Amino acid sequence: METINDSKQKVVIEYPCNWCYKVIASEKAALEQAIRDVIDERDHSISPSNTSKTGKYISMNLDLLVHNEDDRTFIFDALKKHQDIKMVL
């Protein structure tokens, strides 16, 4: 097996920066509402990503400005914990 990056260093992200979360749910309306529940009035954009072959799951890209690592991880965790969201990448 080939190692792509054997560095033990943490990736350095310069803030503020635009960040994209891929959010997966069972239905589009519930996914869009869940995003509004989490990010409230913050400026953002949502764009379609994929739909599973069976149509059971839909994914969308959520793009927004994050101010620091705490902000970025807070949004990730809040999305992940939302009852209508299956997964966040």
Side-chain angles (χ1 to χ4, degrees), residues 31-48:
L31 189 151
E32 290 172 339
Q33 182 59 52
I35 289 171
R36 282 192 297 275
D37 291 348
V38 170
I39 64 168
D40 197 28
E41 298 292 321
R42 287 177 72 161
D43 285 338
H44 68 283
S45 66
I46 303 171
S47 58

Side-chain angles (χ1 to χ4, degrees), residues 21 38 70-82 88:
Y21 302 90
V38 170
D70 289 341
D71 187 32
R72 181 178 60 81
T73 57
F74 173 82
I75 293 167
F76 178 85
D77 290 338
L79 289 167
K80 194 167 72 169
K81 290 176 185 175
H82 196 283
V88 181

Side-chain angles (χ1 to χ4, degrees), residues 13-17 21 42 65-75:
I13 302 170
E14 291 188 29
Y15 295 99
C17 66
Y21 302 90
R42 287 177 72 161
L65 181 71
V66 293
H67 302 285
N68 53 48
E69 186 170 349
D70 289 341
D71 187 32
R72 181 178 60 81
T73 57
F74 173 82
I75 293 167

Side-chain angles (χ1 to χ4, degrees), residues 20-62:
C20 180
Y21 302 90
K22 185 173 295 283
V23 187
I24 302 167
S26 296
E27 57 183 51
K28 183 179 178 182
L31 189 151
E32 290 172 339
Q33 182 59 52
I35 289 171
R36 282 192 297 275
D37 291 348
V38 170
I39 64 168
D40 197 28
E41 298 292 321
R42 287 177 72 161
D43 285 338
H44 68 283
S45 66
I46 303 171
S47 58
S49 182
N50 292 315
T51 301
S52 63
K53 288 181 184 179
T54 61
K56 186 174 180 180
Y57 298 105
I58 182 171
S59 65
M60 298 188 85
N61 295 319
L62 166 63

